[in-house]
Amino acid sequence: MMKHLLFVDDEPKVLDGFRRSLRSMRHEWDMTFVTSGEEALTTLAQAPFDVVVSDMRMPGMDGAQLMNEVQGRYAHIARIILSGHSGQEMIFQSISASHQYLAKPCDIEQLRAAIQRAYALREVLKNDTLQGLVAGMRTIPSMPTIFMEIKKEAESRSSSLKTIGQIVSKDIGMTARLLQLVNSAYFGLRRDVSTVEQAVNILGLDTLQALVLSVQVFSQFEEKRAATQFHFERLWKDSLNVAMLARSIAKAEQCPLHEMERAYTAGLLHDVGILVLATNLADRYGVIIKKASDGSCEVWNAEQSEFGTTHAEVGAYLLGLWGLGDPIVQSVAYHHRPGDCPGEIFSPLTAVYVANVLQQECSQQATENVSSKLDMAYLDKLRLTDRLPHWRELAGVLSKEQAND
């Protein structure tokens, strides 16, 4: 199926460069080129598009303004900003309304990869309605107590990167948003940043304070928006527990430090799709929670029946659009069915999958005899079944420590 792309830049020579560089894609991509934000909106009103790629600095309507308009009118469209140099405030405005931010002059292969990834992600989440919902999201709501804690710290004269990083690393929404920002090409990095510690060190204290106090990048969770019977605090607690156990499992497997921290981040974000669905489709998600509450089916099975997809695909689609690395996106996408993901070695997905199941075992065994739901065929393929007793021991130790806190 032909893909439809719109390129926006006030310099005709830049657009000519895109035409030449991307000519090899002409049999797959139907590309339209316009020279202003106003012309872009007129074009969008006349035909459907999948991706908009826009320059940041343009006379009249700039890239940030255009992306805000596109998000409001056509939320399903993937939005990519290009810029050679812009002020910090404009960067934050465009990050809020766009999915990815690439540096100018643009590496054409990097641009091609970003566009192809946006299309590939649509194969992960095939529900058009949910694609539009997810693509239109500016923020992921944060736990009120954590939001206020970081706001207080940011306002303090003695605030520090270490303290803010520790607070952020407990929160799903803030972690995802910071990683989206720091993985944008604005910071000129040539590596995937997948931990909060790396992110806060790159951003610096002034930028973090601006994010929290001045720019609407973070938002508080509004309980009235959530699905009935949705336990927001339990989701946060379970996600944090899975993150800590995933890191412990990765450490036990002698993974490098960056892989251990990547497992933690993936564990913290593994259920971000639940947060998206429960806060944006409250009535329908309330039905799902009710179905799963009697124990007759898993939440993700009920989601599949209701939406034709699950929170795993929803979360992976969002994080992929935001530019987070493939190991984290894969961990989120396959954390209920790891056997469907290619690969036969221990990975952050393995750590998150096992941690998620063992964490559930620990939370239930106090009241009932729970049989393991682990996919033993998957662990056998990775030749890791003999490690399971040790991982269960780690889960038990962590569970006792949490009970004593």
Side-chain angles (χ1 to χ4, degrees):
M1 181 182 294
M2 188 69 78
K3 313 298 193 304
H4 301 279
L5 290 82
L6 178 62
F7 292 84
V8 190
D9 198 301
D10 64 304
E11 296 184 27
K13 289 184 179 179
V14 172
L15 296 178
D16 288 341
F18 285 145
R19 281 194 186 92
R20 291 192 301 272
S21 300
L22 297 173
R23 191 170 185 275
S24 63
M25 304 300 298
R26 66 190 184 281
H27 300 301
E28 300 176 39
W29 295 355
D30 177 24
M31 293 174 277
T32 301
F33 302 87
V34 299
T35 57
S36 71
E38 293 81 2
E39 188 181 356
L41 293 179
T42 300
T43 303
L44 288 168
Q46 296 172 345
F49 285 86
D50 304 302
V51 178
V52 173
V53 180
S54 175
D55 183 35
M56 171 67 88
R57 288 190 175 278
M58 297 184 293
M61 181 182 294
D62 63 34
Q65 292 170 321
L66 172 61
M67 289 306 187
N68 273 290
E69 290 292 328
V70 174
Q71 183 182 45
R73 303 183 196 188
Y74 314 100
H76 66 282
I77 294 178
R79 303 177 296 277
I80 300 174
I81 277 282
L82 305 178
S83 182
H85 176 74
S86 294
Q88 187 182 82
E89 185 175 350
M90 185 176 283
I91 297 293
F92 292 158
Q93 289 173 356
S94 66
I95 286 288
S96 186
S98 61
H99 296 122
Q100 293 199 49
Y101 187 109
L102 303 181
K104 249 180 120 178
C106 180
D107 182 292
I108 203 66
E109 291 306 317
Q110 186 182 24
L111 175 60
R112 192 198 311 263
I115 294 171
Q116 289 176 326
R117 192 184 202 210
Y119 285 124
L121 286 166
R122 295 189 179 194
E123 294 302 309
V124 173
L125 182 61
K126 297 183 179 181
N127 183 309
D128 292 343
T129 301
L130 291 181
Q131 282 184 8
L133 184 154
V134 173
M137 291 187 66
R138 289 176 179 268
T139 63
I140 301 172
S142 297
M143 189 77 171
T145 53
I146 297 178
F147 181 89
M148 296 310 298
E149 189 178 348
I150 194 170
K151 190 171 185 295
K152 181 180 178 181
E153 178 64 25
E155 290 173 336
S156 170
R157 292 182 178 179
S158 59
S159 61
S160 69
L161 283 174
K162 182 178 180 180
T163 303
I164 290 180
Q166 289 171 341
I167 300 170
V168 170
S169 65
K170 296 186 292 184
D171 187 83
I172 299 170
M174 291 182 184
T175 293
R177 212 66 172 93
L178 281 187
L179 291 179
Q180 182 208 12
L181 177 60
V182 83
N183 278 293
S184 74
Y186 169 62
F187 292 95
L189 304 176
R190 297 295 180 185
R191 59 192 174 92
D192 166 37
V193 177
S194 56
T195 72
V196 169
E197 182 181 9
Q198 289 176 305
V200 297
N201 284 328
I202 291 167
L203 290 170
L205 188 57
D206 290 344
T207 299
L208 281 170
Q209 288 173 327
L211 286 170
V212 178
L213 302 176
S214 306
V215 186
Q216 296 303 309
V217 173
F218 298 153
S219 66
Q220 290 190 69
F221 172 74
E222 297 176 22
E223 191 169 355
K224 62 184 178 182
R225 290 182 56 200
T228 305
Q229 302 179 38
F230 176 65
H231 297 285
F232 185 76
E233 290 191 18
R234 182 185 299 172
L235 174 66
W236 250 252
K237 181 179 178 181
D238 289 348
S239 297
L240 190 57
N241 290 345
V242 169
M244 291 188 291
L245 181 54
R247 180 165 55 192
S248 295
I249 290 172
K251 182 178 180 180
E253 298 314 299
Q254 300 183 330
C255 292
L257 180 60
H258 72 274
E259 283 293 287
M260 291 163 47
E261 295 306 319
R262 184 175 283 162
Y264 175 93
T265 301
L268 185 69
L269 299 176
H270 78 285
D271 275 344
V272 66
I274 292 180
L275 190 55
V276 172
L277 294 171
T279 54
N280 289 281
L281 298 170
D283 292 340
R284 294 178 69 182
Y285 209 75
V287 173
I288 288 170
I289 294 173
K290 189 173 181 179
K291 282 182 181 178
S293 62
D294 62 6
S296 60
C297 69
E298 297 284 351
V299 167
W300 62 281
N301 292 131
E303 292 169 346
Q304 186 70 47
S305 298
E306 178 69 19
F307 299 118
T309 191
T310 77
H311 66 269
E313 290 80 32
V314 170
Y317 184 69
L318 174 67
L319 299 180
L321 273 182
W322 282 8
L324 273 69
D326 287 342
I328 290 178
V329 173
Q330 287 181 348
S331 298
V332 173
Y334 295 103
H335 73 268
H336 286 301
R337 45 188 183 88
D340 290 351
C341 185
E344 298 186 3
I345 60 172
F346 183 91
S347 67
L349 167 61
T350 312
V352 171
Y353 168 67
V354 173
N356 188 42
V357 175
L358 296 186
Q359 191 272 332
Q360 291 176 9
E361 285 185 11
C362 289
S363 65
Q364 296 177 47
Q365 66 184 203
T367 56
E368 55 185 288
N369 184 19
V370 182
S371 58
S372 177
K373 299 175 182 176
L374 282 166
D375 181 349
M376 299 308 295
Y378 169 70
L379 295 180
D380 187 57
K381 181 177 73 171
L382 271 59
R383 300 178 181 84
L384 291 170
T385 51
D386 61 324
R387 300 295 295 155
L388 189 52
H390 182 56
W391 296 342
R392 275 207 169 94
E393 185 179 328
L394 292 174
V397 170
L398 185 60
S399 180
K400 289 179 181 177
E401 289 177 352
Q402 292 158 353
N404 293 329
D405 285 345

